[in-house]
PDB file of all heavy atoms in Angstrom:
ATOM      1  N   ARG A 261       0.869  -1.177   0.000  1.00 93.00           N
ATOM      2  CA  ARG A 261       0.000   0.000   0.000  1.00 93.00           C
ATOM      3  C   ARG A 261       0.902   1.223   0.000  1.00 93.00           C
ATOM      4  O   ARG A 261       1.608   1.495   0.975  1.00 93.00           O
ATOM      5  CB  ARG A 261      -0.924   0.010   1.229  1.00 93.00           C
ATOM      6  CG  ARG A 261      -1.869  -1.184   1.305  1.00 93.00           C
ATOM      7  CD  ARG A 261      -2.879  -1.175   0.158  1.00 93.00           C
ATOM      8  NE  ARG A 261      -3.863  -2.239   0.285  1.00 93.00           N
ATOM      9  CZ  ARG A 261      -3.720  -3.463  -0.216  1.00 93.00           C
ATOM     10  NH1 ARG A 261      -2.591  -3.780  -0.867  1.00 93.00           N
ATOM     11  NH2 ARG A 261      -4.673  -4.360  -0.083  1.00 93.00           N
ATOM     12  N   GLN A 262       0.912   1.933  -1.119  1.00 92.00           N
ATOM     13  CA  GLN A 262       1.825   3.052  -1.301  1.00 92.00           C
ATOM     14  C   GLN A 262       1.125   4.149  -2.102  1.00 92.00           C
ATOM     15  O   GLN A 262       0.000   3.979  -2.577  1.00 92.00           O
ATOM     16  CB  GLN A 262       3.082   2.599  -2.057  1.00 92.00           C
ATOM     17  CG  GLN A 262       3.985   1.655  -1.300  1.00 92.00           C
ATOM     18  CD  GLN A 262       4.836   2.361  -0.271  1.00 92.00           C
ATOM     19  OE1 GLN A 262       4.886   3.596  -0.226  1.00 92.00           O
ATOM     20  NE2 GLN A 262       5.510   1.594   0.578  1.00 92.00           N
ATOM     21  N   ALA A 263       1.816   5.267  -2.264  1.00 90.00           N
ATOM     22  CA  ALA A 263       1.292   6.382  -3.054  1.00 90.00           C
ATOM     23  C   ALA A 263       1.630   6.179  -4.528  1.00 90.00           C
ATOM     24  O   ALA A 263       2.253   7.029  -5.174  1.00 90.00           O
ATOM     25  CB  ALA A 263       1.873   7.698  -2.542  1.00 90.00           C
ATOM     26  N   PHE A 264       1.201   5.030  -5.084  1.00 92.00           N
ATOM     27  CA  PHE A 264       1.458   4.741  -6.492  1.00 92.00           C
ATOM     28  C   PHE A 264       0.742   5.780  -7.356  1.00 92.00           C
ATOM     29  O   PHE A 264      -0.399   6.142  -7.092  1.00 92.00           O
ATOM     30  CB  PHE A 264       0.948   3.347  -6.852  1.00 92.00           C
ATOM     31  CG  PHE A 264       1.578   2.238  -6.057  1.00 92.00           C
ATOM     32  CD1 PHE A 264       0.799   1.403  -5.271  1.00 92.00           C
ATOM     33  CD2 PHE A 264       2.937   2.019  -6.096  1.00 92.00           C
ATOM     34  CE1 PHE A 264       1.364   0.375  -4.545  1.00 92.00           C
ATOM     35  CE2 PHE A 264       3.522   0.990  -5.367  1.00 92.00           C
ATOM     36  CZ  PHE A 264       2.731   0.168  -4.590  1.00 92.00           C
ATOM     37  N   GLU A 265       1.419   6.222  -8.416  1.00 85.00           N
ATOM     38  CA  GLU A 265       0.807   7.264  -9.237  1.00 85.00           C
ATOM     39  C   GLU A 265       0.748   6.935 -10.726  1.00 85.00           C
ATOM     40  O   GLU A 265      -0.317   6.784 -11.283  1.00 85.00           O
ATOM     41  CB  GLU A 265       1.538   8.585  -9.018  1.00 85.00           C
ATOM     42  CG  GLU A 265       1.384   9.098  -7.590  1.00 85.00           C
ATOM     43  CD  GLU A 265       1.479  10.592  -7.491  1.00 85.00           C
ATOM     44  OE1 GLU A 265       0.557  11.275  -7.953  1.00 85.00           O
ATOM     45  OE2 GLU A 265       2.479  11.081  -6.943  1.00 85.00           O
ATOM     46  N   PHE A 266       1.877   6.815 -11.379  1.00 86.00           N
ATOM     47  CA  PHE A 266       1.846   6.660 -12.834  1.00 86.00           C
ATOM     48  C   PHE A 266       3.115   5.947 -13.303  1.00 86.00           C
ATOM     49  O   PHE A 266       3.900   5.470 -12.504  1.00 86.00           O
ATOM     50  CB  PHE A 266       1.707   8.018 -13.542  1.00 86.00           C
ATOM     51  CG  PHE A 266       2.398   9.155 -12.834  1.00 86.00           C
ATOM     52  CD1 PHE A 266       3.769   9.269 -12.839  1.00 86.00           C
ATOM     53  CD2 PHE A 266       1.663  10.104 -12.154  1.00 86.00           C
ATOM     54  CE1 PHE A 266       4.425  10.307 -12.191  1.00 86.00           C
ATOM     55  CE2 PHE A 266       2.301  11.162 -11.499  1.00 86.00           C
ATOM     56  CZ  PHE A 266       3.670  11.260 -11.527  1.00 86.00           C
ATOM     57  N   TRP A 267       3.283   5.868 -14.636  1.00 89.00           N
ATOM     58  CA  TRP A 267       4.423   5.186 -15.251  1.00 89.00           C
ATOM     59  C   TRP A 267       4.539   3.741 -14.786  1.00 89.00           C
ATOM     60  O   TRP A 267       5.625   3.234 -14.491  1.00 89.00           O
ATOM     61  CB  TRP A 267       5.718   5.963 -15.044  1.00 89.00           C
ATOM     62  CG  TRP A 267       5.709   7.249 -15.786  1.00 89.00           C
ATOM     63  CD1 TRP A 267       5.247   7.445 -17.058  1.00 89.00           C
ATOM     64  CD2 TRP A 267       6.140   8.520 -15.329  1.00 89.00           C
ATOM     65  NE1 TRP A 267       5.359   8.756 -17.406  1.00 89.00           N
ATOM     66  CE2 TRP A 267       5.907   9.446 -16.368  1.00 89.00           C
ATOM     67  CE3 TRP A 267       6.690   8.987 -14.145  1.00 89.00           C
ATOM     68  CZ2 TRP A 267       6.204  10.794 -16.267  1.00 89.00           C
ATOM     69  CZ3 TRP A 267       6.992  10.335 -14.041  1.00 89.00           C
ATOM     70  CH2 TRP A 267       6.759  11.210 -15.089  1.00 89.00           C
ATOM     71  N   ILE A 268       3.379   3.083 -14.728  1.00 95.00           N
ATOM     72  CA  ILE A 268       3.369   1.647 -14.469  1.00 95.00           C
ATOM     73  C   ILE A 268       3.886   0.944 -15.720  1.00 95.00           C
ATOM     74  O   ILE A 268       3.403   1.176 -16.829  1.00 95.00           O
ATOM     75  CB  ILE A 268       1.938   1.152 -14.160  1.00 95.00           C
ATOM     76  CG1 ILE A 268       1.342   1.952 -12.999  1.00 95.00           C
ATOM     77  CG2 ILE A 268       1.936  -0.330 -13.854  1.00 95.00           C
ATOM     78  CD1 ILE A 268       2.121   1.859 -11.725  1.00 95.00           C
ATOM     79  N   ALA A 269       4.885   0.099 -15.555  1.00 97.00           N
ATOM     80  CA  ALA A 269       5.449  -0.638 -16.691  1.00 97.00           C
ATOM     81  C   ALA A 269       5.807  -2.043 -16.240  1.00 97.00           C
ATOM     82  O   ALA A 269       6.571  -2.220 -15.285  1.00 97.00           O
ATOM     83  CB  ALA A 269       6.686   0.077 -17.242  1.00 97.00           C
ATOM     84  N   VAL A 270       5.250  -3.043 -16.930  1.00 97.00           N
ATOM     85  CA  VAL A 270       5.468  -4.444 -16.585  1.00 97.00           C
ATOM     86  C   VAL A 270       6.724  -4.959 -17.272  1.00 97.00           C
ATOM     87  O   VAL A 270       6.981  -4.648 -18.445  1.00 97.00           O
ATOM     88  CB  VAL A 270       4.252  -5.297 -17.010  1.00 97.00           C
ATOM     89  CG1 VAL A 270       4.498  -6.766 -16.729  1.00 97.00           C
ATOM     90  CG2 VAL A 270       2.996  -4.827 -16.283  1.00 97.00           C
ATOM     91  N   SER A 271       7.515  -5.742 -16.559  1.00 98.00           N
ATOM     92  CA  SER A 271       8.700  -6.358 -17.149  1.00 98.00           C
ATOM     93  C   SER A 271       8.272  -7.364 -18.218  1.00 98.00           C
ATOM     94  O   SER A 271       7.142  -7.867 -18.192  1.00 98.00           O
ATOM     95  CB  SER A 271       9.542  -7.049 -16.077  1.00 98.00           C
ATOM     96  OG  SER A 271       8.817  -8.119 -15.492  1.00 98.00           O
ATOM     97  N   PRO A 272       9.139  -7.681 -19.163  1.00 97.00           N
ATOM     98  CA  PRO A 272       8.757  -8.592 -20.247  1.00 97.00           C
ATOM     99  C   PRO A 272       8.233  -9.940 -19.790  1.00 97.00           C
ATOM    100  O   PRO A 272       7.362 -10.528 -20.453  1.00 97.00           O
ATOM    101  CB  PRO A 272      10.068  -8.739 -21.044  1.00 97.00           C
ATOM    102  CG  PRO A 272      10.787  -7.456 -20.805  1.00 97.00           C
ATOM    103  CD  PRO A 272      10.482  -7.096 -19.384  1.00 97.00           C
ATOM    104  N   ASP A 273       8.725 -10.471 -18.662  1.00 97.00           N
ATOM    105  CA  ASP A 273       8.245 -11.767 -18.187  1.00 97.00           C
ATOM    106  C   ASP A 273       7.067 -11.654 -17.220  1.00 97.00           C
ATOM    107  O   ASP A 273       6.543 -12.665 -16.745  1.00 97.00           O
ATOM    108  CB  ASP A 273       9.379 -12.563 -17.533  1.00 97.00           C
ATOM    109  CG  ASP A 273       9.909 -11.898 -16.252  1.00 97.00           C
ATOM    110  OD1 ASP A 273       9.406 -10.799 -15.889  1.00 97.00           O
ATOM    111  OD2 ASP A 273      10.815 -12.463 -15.628  1.00 97.00           O
ATOM    112  N   GLY A 274       6.632 -10.429 -16.918  1.00 97.00           N
ATOM    113  CA  GLY A 274       5.475 -10.219 -16.068  1.00 97.00           C
ATOM    114  C   GLY A 274       5.721 -10.415 -14.587  1.00 97.00           C
ATOM    115  O   GLY A 274       4.767 -10.409 -13.801  1.00 97.00           O
ATOM    116  N   SER A 275       6.969 -10.546 -14.168  1.00 97.00           N
ATOM    117  CA  SER A 275       7.256 -10.815 -12.758  1.00 97.00           C
ATOM    118  C   SER A 275       7.503  -9.556 -11.938  1.00 97.00           C
ATOM    119  O   SER A 275       7.448  -9.596 -10.711  1.00 97.00           O
ATOM    120  CB  SER A 275       8.478 -11.730 -12.636  1.00 97.00           C
ATOM    121  OG  SER A 275       9.657 -11.061 -13.093  1.00 97.00           O
ATOM    122  N   ARG A 276       7.792  -8.433 -12.597  1.00 98.00           N
ATOM    123  CA  ARG A 276       8.087  -7.183 -11.913  1.00 98.00           C
ATOM    124  C   ARG A 276       7.399  -6.026 -12.639  1.00 98.00           C
ATOM    125  O   ARG A 276       6.986  -6.148 -13.790  1.00 98.00           O
ATOM    126  CB  ARG A 276       9.599  -6.933 -11.872  1.00 98.00           C
ATOM    127  CG  ARG A 276      10.403  -7.908 -11.038  1.00 98.00           C
ATOM    128  CD  ARG A 276      11.887  -7.820 -11.369  1.00 98.00           C
ATOM    129  NE  ARG A 276      12.143  -8.269 -12.724  1.00 98.00           N
ATOM    130  CZ  ARG A 276      13.286  -8.073 -13.390  1.00 98.00           C
ATOM    131  NH1 ARG A 276      14.277  -7.413 -12.797  1.00 98.00           N
ATOM    132  NH2 ARG A 276      13.435  -8.523 -14.614  1.00 98.00           N
ATOM    133  N   CYS A 277       7.324  -4.915 -11.960  1.00 97.00           N
ATOM    134  CA  CYS A 277       6.828  -3.711 -12.613  1.00 97.00           C
ATOM    135  C   CYS A 277       7.493  -2.495 -11.987  1.00 97.00           C
ATOM    136  O   CYS A 277       7.971  -2.546 -10.847  1.00 97.00           O
ATOM    137  CB  CYS A 277       5.306  -3.599 -12.521  1.00 97.00           C
ATOM    138  SG  CYS A 277       4.676  -3.062 -10.914  1.00 97.00           S
ATOM    139  N   THR A 278       7.546  -1.425 -12.742  1.00 97.00           N
ATOM    140  CA  THR A 278       7.998  -0.149 -12.211  1.00 97.00           C
ATOM    141  C   THR A 278       6.781   0.708 -11.900  1.00 97.00           C
ATOM    142  O   THR A 278       5.716   0.547 -12.491  1.00 97.00           O
ATOM    143  CB  THR A 278       8.884   0.608 -13.199  1.00 97.00           C
ATOM    144  OG1 THR A 278       8.149   0.827 -14.406  1.00 97.00           O
ATOM    145  CG2 THR A 278      10.158  -0.152 -13.495  1.00 97.00           C
ATOM    146  N   THR A 279       6.951   1.624 -10.962  1.00 95.00           N
ATOM    147  CA  THR A 279       5.897   2.566 -10.625  1.00 95.00           C
ATOM    148  C   THR A 279       6.528   3.830 -10.077  1.00 95.00           C
ATOM    149  O   THR A 279       7.608   3.773  -9.480  1.00 95.00           O
ATOM    150  CB  THR A 279       4.929   1.967  -9.582  1.00 95.00           C
ATOM    151  OG1 THR A 279       3.968   2.949  -9.187  1.00 95.00           O
ATOM    152  CG2 THR A 279       5.669   1.480  -8.352  1.00 95.00           C
ATOM    153  N   ALA A 280       5.885   4.959 -10.285  1.00 93.00           N
ATOM    154  CA  ALA A 280       6.385   6.226  -9.786  1.00 93.00           C
ATOM    155  C   ALA A 280       5.754   6.542  -8.436  1.00 93.00           C
ATOM    156  O   ALA A 280       4.541   6.380  -8.262  1.00 93.00           O
ATOM    157  CB  ALA A 280       6.092   7.348 -10.767  1.00 93.00           C
ATOM    158  N   ILE A 281       6.559   6.967  -7.487  1.00 93.00           N
ATOM    159  CA  ILE A 281       6.091   7.402  -6.179  1.00 93.00           C
ATOM    160  C   ILE A 281       6.743   8.762  -5.893  1.00 93.00           C
ATOM    161  O   ILE A 281       7.954   8.908  -6.048  1.00 93.00           O
ATOM    162  CB  ILE A 281       6.462   6.402  -5.073  1.00 93.00           C
ATOM    163  CG1 ILE A 281       5.781   5.049  -5.328  1.00 93.00           C
ATOM    164  CG2 ILE A 281       6.068   6.947  -3.698  1.00 93.00           C
ATOM    165  CD1 ILE A 281       6.150   3.974  -4.317  1.00 93.00           C
ATOM    166  N   THR A 282       5.935   9.731  -5.506  1.00 88.00           N
ATOM    167  CA  THR A 282       6.441  11.055  -5.168  1.00 88.00           C
ATOM    168  C   THR A 282       6.770  11.104  -3.682  1.00 88.00           C
ATOM    169  O   THR A 282       5.906  10.820  -2.850  1.00 88.00           O
ATOM    170  CB  THR A 282       5.412  12.136  -5.522  1.00 88.00           C
ATOM    171  OG1 THR A 282       5.093  12.040  -6.909  1.00 88.00           O
ATOM    172  CG2 THR A 282       5.957  13.522  -5.228  1.00 88.00           C
ATOM    173  N   ASN A 283       8.004  11.466  -3.349  1.00 87.00           N
ATOM    174  CA  ASN A 283       8.408  11.456  -1.941  1.00 87.00           C
ATOM    175  C   ASN A 283       7.959  12.729  -1.223  1.00 87.00           C
ATOM    176  O   ASN A 283       7.298  13.600  -1.814  1.00 87.00           O
ATOM    177  CB  ASN A 283       9.918  11.227  -1.801  1.00 87.00           C
ATOM    178  CG  ASN A 283      10.753  12.374  -2.350  1.00 87.00           C
ATOM    179  OD1 ASN A 283      10.309  13.518  -2.437  1.00 87.00           O
ATOM    180  ND2 ASN A 283      11.993  12.075  -2.710  1.00 87.00           N
ATOM    181  N   ALA A 284       8.304  12.846   0.057  1.00 79.00           N
ATOM    182  CA  ALA A 284       7.843  13.965   0.877  1.00 79.00           C
ATOM    183  C   ALA A 284       8.371  15.305   0.392  1.00 79.00           C
ATOM    184  O   ALA A 284       7.805  16.359   0.725  1.00 79.00           O
ATOM    185  CB  ALA A 284       8.254  13.748   2.333  1.00 79.00           C
ATOM    186  N   ASN A 285       9.435  15.296  -0.411  1.00 83.00           N
ATOM    187  CA  ASN A 285       9.987  16.530  -0.959  1.00 83.00           C
ATOM    188  C   ASN A 285       9.485  16.824  -2.367  1.00 83.00           C
ATOM    189  O   ASN A 285      10.061  17.635  -3.083  1.00 83.00           O
ATOM    190  CB  ASN A 285      11.516  16.460  -0.966  1.00 83.00           C
ATOM    191  CG  ASN A 285      12.095  16.388   0.433  1.00 83.00           C
ATOM    192  OD1 ASN A 285      11.632  17.086   1.335  1.00 83.00           O
ATOM    193  ND2 ASN A 285      13.085  15.530   0.629  1.00 83.00           N
ATOM    194  N   ALA A 286       8.395  16.132  -2.751  1.00 82.00           N
ATOM    195  CA  ALA A 286       7.762  16.319  -4.065  1.00 82.00           C
ATOM    196  C   ALA A 286       8.677  15.915  -5.215  1.00 82.00           C
ATOM    197  O   ALA A 286       8.567  16.455  -6.322  1.00 82.00           O
ATOM    198  CB  ALA A 286       7.270  17.759  -4.241  1.00 82.00           C
ATOM    199  N   ILE A 287       9.567  14.972  -4.970  1.00 91.00           N
ATOM    200  CA  ILE A 287      10.447  14.435  -6.002  1.00 91.00           C
ATOM    201  C   ILE A 287       9.900  13.085  -6.450  1.00 91.00           C
ATOM    202  O   ILE A 287       9.622  12.211  -5.631  1.00 91.00           O
ATOM    203  CB  ILE A 287      11.886  14.266  -5.492  1.00 91.00           C
ATOM    204  CG1 ILE A 287      12.464  15.639  -5.103  1.00 91.00           C
ATOM    205  CG2 ILE A 287      12.758  13.591  -6.536  1.00 91.00           C
ATOM    206  CD1 ILE A 287      12.546  16.624  -6.242  1.00 91.00           C
ATOM    207  N   THR A 288       9.724  12.920  -7.753  1.00 93.00           N
ATOM    208  CA  THR A 288       9.182  11.681  -8.297  1.00 93.00           C
ATOM    209  C   THR A 288      10.305  10.664  -8.495  1.00 93.00           C
ATOM    210  O   THR A 288      11.284  10.942  -9.194  1.00 93.00           O
ATOM    211  CB  THR A 288       8.471  11.943  -9.626  1.00 93.00           C
ATOM    212  OG1 THR A 288       7.391  12.862  -9.415  1.00 93.00           O
ATOM    213  CG2 THR A 288       7.896  10.650 -10.198  1.00 93.00           C
ATOM    214  N   GLU A 289      10.138   9.495  -7.887  1.00 95.00           N
ATOM    215  CA  GLU A 289      11.131   8.424  -7.958  1.00 95.00           C
ATOM    216  C   GLU A 289      10.528   7.205  -8.639  1.00 95.00           C
ATOM    217  O   GLU A 289       9.313   6.992  -8.598  1.00 95.00           O
ATOM    218  CB  GLU A 289      11.608   8.043  -6.549  1.00 95.00           C
ATOM    219  CG  GLU A 289      12.216   9.208  -5.775  1.00 95.00           C
ATOM    220  CD  GLU A 289      12.461   8.874  -4.309  1.00 95.00           C
ATOM    221  OE1 GLU A 289      11.705   8.040  -3.752  1.00 95.00           O
ATOM    222  OE2 GLU A 289      13.393   9.448  -3.725  1.00 95.00           O
ATOM    223  N   ILE A 290      11.375   6.382  -9.252  1.00 95.00           N
ATOM    224  CA  ILE A 290      10.931   5.135  -9.875  1.00 95.00           C
ATOM    225  C   ILE A 290      11.280   3.978  -8.945  1.00 95.00           C
ATOM    226  O   ILE A 290      12.427   3.815  -8.529  1.00 95.00           O
ATOM    227  CB  ILE A 290      11.606   4.920 -11.249  1.00 95.00           C
ATOM    228  CG1 ILE A 290      11.283   6.087 -12.194  1.00 95.00           C
ATOM    229  CG2 ILE A 290      11.133   3.603 -11.859  1.00 95.00           C
ATOM    230  CD1 ILE A 290       9.831   6.247 -12.530  1.00 95.00           C
ATOM    231  N   TRP A 291      10.267   3.188  -8.623  1.00 96.00           N
ATOM    232  CA  TRP A 291      10.430   2.034  -7.751  1.00 96.00           C
ATOM    233  C   TRP A 291      10.067   0.766  -8.510  1.00 96.00           C
ATOM    234  O   TRP A 291       9.243   0.793  -9.434  1.00 96.00           O
ATOM    235  CB  TRP A 291       9.553   2.165  -6.512  1.00 96.00           C
ATOM    236  CG  TRP A 291       9.996   3.253  -5.567  1.00 96.00           C
ATOM    237  CD1 TRP A 291       9.849   4.603  -5.746  1.00 96.00           C
ATOM    238  CD2 TRP A 291      10.665   3.077  -4.316  1.00 96.00           C
ATOM    239  NE1 TRP A 291      10.387   5.289  -4.681  1.00 96.00           N
ATOM    240  CE2 TRP A 291      10.887   4.377  -3.779  1.00 96.00           C
ATOM    241  CE3 TRP A 291      11.079   1.963  -3.590  1.00 96.00           C
ATOM    242  CZ2 TRP A 291      11.524   4.576  -2.566  1.00 96.00           C
ATOM    243  CZ3 TRP A 291      11.704   2.163  -2.366  1.00 96.00           C
ATOM    244  CH2 TRP A 291      11.929   3.456  -1.870  1.00 96.00           C
ATOM    245  N   VAL A 292      10.685  -0.356  -8.102  1.00 97.00           N
ATOM    246  CA  VAL A 292      10.430  -1.653  -8.722  1.00 97.00           C
ATOM    247  C   VAL A 292       9.716  -2.551  -7.717  1.00 97.00           C
ATOM    248  O   VAL A 292      10.134  -2.663  -6.557  1.00 97.00           O
ATOM    249  CB  VAL A 292      11.736  -2.319  -9.193  1.00 97.00           C
ATOM    250  CG1 VAL A 292      11.455  -3.706  -9.781  1.00 97.00           C
ATOM    251  CG2 VAL A 292      12.440  -1.438 -10.234  1.00 97.00           C
ATOM    252  N   SER A 293       8.635  -3.169  -8.161  1.00 97.00           N
ATOM    253  CA  SER A 293       7.843  -4.068  -7.320  1.00 97.00           C
ATOM    254  C   SER A 293       7.866  -5.472  -7.907  1.00 97.00           C
ATOM    255  O   SER A 293       7.682  -5.651  -9.120  1.00 97.00           O
ATOM    256  CB  SER A 293       6.396  -3.570  -7.231  1.00 97.00           C
ATOM    257  OG  SER A 293       5.562  -4.518  -6.588  1.00 97.00           O
ATOM    258  N   ASP A 294       8.102  -6.474  -7.047  1.00 97.00           N
ATOM    259  CA  ASP A 294       8.073  -7.871  -7.473  1.00 97.00           C
ATOM    260  C   ASP A 294       6.673  -8.449  -7.247  1.00 97.00           C
ATOM    261  O   ASP A 294       6.092  -8.279  -6.165  1.00 97.00           O
ATOM    262  CB  ASP A 294       9.094  -8.694  -6.675  1.00 97.00           C
ATOM    263  CG  ASP A 294      10.515  -8.319  -7.018  1.00 97.00           C
ATOM    264  OD1 ASP A 294      10.936  -8.593  -8.146  1.00 97.00           O
ATOM    265  OD2 ASP A 294      11.204  -7.737  -6.164  1.00 97.00           O
ATOM    266  N   ARG A 295       6.178  -9.128  -8.241  1.00 97.00           N
ATOM    267  CA  ARG A 295       4.841  -9.705  -8.155  1.00 97.00           C
ATOM    268  C   ARG A 295       4.758 -10.728  -7.023  1.00 97.00           C
ATOM    269  O   ARG A 295       5.625 -11.604  -6.886  1.00 97.00           O
ATOM    270  CB  ARG A 295       4.498 -10.375  -9.490  1.00 97.00           C
ATOM    271  CG  ARG A 295       3.087 -10.930  -9.603  1.00 97.00           C
ATOM    272  CD  ARG A 295       2.881 -11.373 -11.025  1.00 97.00           C
ATOM    273  NE  ARG A 295       1.576 -11.963 -11.243  1.00 97.00           N
ATOM    274  CZ  ARG A 295       1.119 -12.355 -12.434  1.00 97.00           C
ATOM    275  NH1 ARG A 295       1.893 -12.205 -13.506  1.00 97.00           N
ATOM    276  NH2 ARG A 295      -0.072 -12.879 -12.557  1.00 97.00           N
ATOM    277  N   GLY A 296       3.718 -10.594  -6.178  1.00 96.00           N
ATOM    278  CA  GLY A 296       3.503 -11.525  -5.087  1.00 96.00           C
ATOM    279  C   GLY A 296       4.402 -11.322  -3.893  1.00 96.00           C
ATOM    280  O   GLY A 296       4.417 -12.141  -2.980  1.00 96.00           O
ATOM    281  N   ARG A 297       5.130 -10.213  -3.859  1.00 95.00           N
ATOM    282  CA  ARG A 297       6.080  -9.974  -2.779  1.00 95.00           C
ATOM    283  C   ARG A 297       5.941  -8.552  -2.252  1.00 95.00           C
ATOM    284  O   ARG A 297       5.997  -7.594  -3.026  1.00 95.00           O
ATOM    285  CB  ARG A 297       7.505 -10.206  -3.279  1.00 95.00           C
ATOM    286  CG  ARG A 297       8.590  -9.989  -2.230  1.00 95.00           C
ATOM    287  CD  ARG A 297       9.949 -10.246  -2.844  1.00 95.00           C
ATOM    288  NE  ARG A 297      11.037  -9.958  -1.913  1.00 95.00           N
ATOM    289  CZ  ARG A 297      12.313 -10.035  -2.225  1.00 95.00           C
ATOM    290  NH1 ARG A 297      12.676 -10.403  -3.444  1.00 95.00           N
ATOM    291  NH2 ARG A 297      13.239  -9.753  -1.330  1.00 95.00           N
ATOM    292  N   VAL A 298       5.757  -8.414  -0.948  1.00 95.00           N
ATOM    293  CA  VAL A 298       5.647  -7.096  -0.329  1.00 95.00           C
ATOM    294  C   VAL A 298       7.030  -6.467  -0.225  1.00 95.00           C
ATOM    295  O   VAL A 298       8.002  -7.135   0.136  1.00 95.00           O
ATOM    296  CB  VAL A 298       5.000  -7.196   1.069  1.00 95.00           C
ATOM    297  CG1 VAL A 298       4.984  -5.843   1.755  1.00 95.00           C
ATOM    298  CG2 VAL A 298       3.582  -7.751   0.964  1.00 95.00           C
TER     299      VAL A 298
END
């Protein structure tokens, strides 16, 4: 559960994705999420 916003992109094998999260200083960062893993 995060402040997910945009630039969702799935890896070619579907196991990971990128997502943009804006931090407390209003800076947009790219994070990687693994499917099925917190």
Side-chain angles (χ1 to χ4, degrees):
R261 299 295 185 271
Q262 292 282 351
F264 300 120
E265 295 208 70
F266 34 73
W267 293 318
I268 305 300
V270 177
S271 64
D273 65 359
S275 66
R276 294 164 294 166
C277 77
T278 59
T279 175
I281 297 177
T282 303
N283 66 25
N285 295 318
I287 298 299
T288 300
E289 302 170 330
I290 301 297
W291 291 74
V292 177
S293 171
D294 292 292
R295 185 173 178 176
R297 180 180 176 184
V298 176

